[in-house]
Amino acid sequence: MRYAIVELHDVSPFYKEEVYNAIEFLEKLGIEKFSLLLIPNFRGEYAINRYVPFLSFIEKTKQEIIMHGYTHTGKKRIQYFLYTYGEGEFGEGDLEETYRKLEKAVEIFQAMQLDTKVFVPPAWIGSPWLDDLLYSFGFLGVGYRGKIRNLQSGEDIKSPVLTFSNRHGLSYISIKTVPILFKLFDRYPVLRLALHTADFRDRRKIALWRLILTKTKKERRLISYGELLSKSRSSSSFQGVQPTGRLVQSVN
């Protein structure tokens, strides 16, 4: 059995119209299962608890909600240039700073009674201690660029990401390369199709997503992060191990 996770990134009131268009697009294509990567407080200015109608719309879709960073903003770093430019929020900062960001993000989700056990850092970039901290907050999994990590078992599920760039110059290149990568990734049992809200400002990307999603729906079973993690095997070397206790104590 081959699987695919269809996920919409950067879900935020800031991109309200794009979110509405994207969800309508997916529903019209008959994509019955997809994940919504929700930003708790985009740019520190769009806390979702201040946009109740928007949040109600998201919840009414009955689709899986994933926590996607905290503000989705970070420093511009040369080493991340190919992946992002100023959005690698969880690839920087020390242990305490990372903890505080997660704490604030979790508080917003809890205040709005949003249930999520999976975290995807912006640009799929994380720090050395992110896994342990997520585990301490009760997350079951985290999605990185080439894998999904089961935080309970420690297992990495290989899963490449197919996505477009929305940065000047790189956007055009990605339009040319994504169809090629789609064919190359065909051999992987699990494939993630990462649509971004900004994609829905470009008719060329919408057209390509329509083709890719139509083909994927015929050839793969659509699955959520939660379902995939529940299928991943347990690892005896990780059972009962809770490495996060020391880390959490150090920042409390």
Side-chain angles (χ1 to χ4, degrees):
M1 177 67 70
R2 295 192 303 161
Y3 302 100
I5 296 177
V6 177
E7 52 192 77
L8 178 62
H9 285 233
D10 304 344
V11 175
S12 164
F14 178 81
Y15 292 111
K16 180 176 66 174
E17 294 304 319
E18 289 86 349
V19 171
Y20 293 163
N21 291 338
I23 291 176
E24 182 182 24
F25 170 79
L26 291 171
E27 290 178 344
K28 284 185 176 179
L29 274 182
I31 305 299
E32 298 179 350
K33 183 172 295 184
F34 51 90
S35 301
L36 297 168
L37 275 63
L38 183 61
I39 306 170
N41 189 10
F42 184 60
R43 295 180 179 172
E45 300 175 0
Y46 294 87
I48 55 174
N49 54 314
R50 291 169 34 216
Y51 296 87
V52 176
F54 175 79
L55 197 56
S56 295
F57 170 80
I58 295 302
E59 291 185 286
K60 286 178 182 178
T61 65
K62 303 297 183 182
Q63 300 294 342
E64 180 183 53
I65 294 177
I66 304 295
M67 185 180 290
H68 189 39
Y70 173 49
T71 66
H72 205 285
T73 55
K75 297 175 182 177
K76 296 177 181 179
R77 295 174 177 266
I78 296 298
Q79 65 264 43
Y80 299 147
F81 178 77
L82 288 177
Y83 305 119
T84 186
Y85 197 53
E87 295 179 329
E89 178 183 18
F90 281 86
E92 60 187 45
D94 59 16
L95 171 64
E96 183 171 358
E97 181 182 349
T98 304
Y99 180 90
R100 298 305 175 198
K101 285 180 182 178
L102 286 174
E103 184 178 44
K104 291 176 182 177
V106 168
E107 285 176 353
I108 291 175
F109 266 53
Q110 289 179 342
M112 303 309 295
Q113 298 182 326
L114 292 173
D115 182 31
T116 184
K117 295 297 181 184
V118 181
F119 185 88
V120 175
W124 299 280
I125 297 171
S127 65
W129 41 77
L130 180 58
D131 290 359
D132 283 347
L133 289 175
L134 288 170
Y135 185 87
S136 76
F137 278 102
F139 285 88
L140 302 180
V142 55
Y144 292 116
R145 183 167 292 273
K147 61 193 176 187
I148 299 170
R149 178 163 293 161
N150 186 323
L151 294 174
Q152 289 190 313
S153 68
E155 178 192 4
D156 283 337
I157 306 166
K158 290 184 178 179
S159 176
V161 175
L162 193 71
T163 192
F164 291 103
S165 172
N166 284 293
R167 291 159 56 197
H168 183 70
L170 292 178
S171 177
Y172 176 77
I173 294 173
S174 70
I175 288 172
K176 297 298 183 182
T177 58
V178 159
I180 298 171
L181 291 173
F182 181 55
K183 293 180 181 179
L184 292 175
F185 291 161
D186 185 64
R187 63 187 178 89
Y188 286 89
V190 182
L191 175 63
R192 282 176 288 168
L193 305 180
L195 292 72
H196 283 78
T197 49
D199 292 348
F200 290 84
R201 299 173 178 173
D202 191 325
R203 286 181 293 179
R204 296 168 300 175
K205 292 172 184 174
I206 294 172
L208 283 171
W209 276 131
R210 182 176 289 108
L211 292 172
I212 290 169
L213 288 166
T214 300
K215 184 174 177 61
T216 297
K217 188 177 68 168
K218 293 178 181 178
E219 299 179 349
R220 293 176 180 264
R221 178 188 164 194
L222 302 184
I223 194 171
S224 67
Y225 275 88
E227 289 175 294
L228 184 65
L229 289 167
S230 69
K231 291 177 180 295
S232 65
R233 64 181 182 276
S234 61
S235 171
S236 59
S237 62
F238 282 83
Q239 289 177 351
V241 177
Q242 298 183 8
T244 54
R246 173 178 56 80
L247 294 178
V248 175
Q249 291 173 4
S250 69
V251 294
N252 283 339

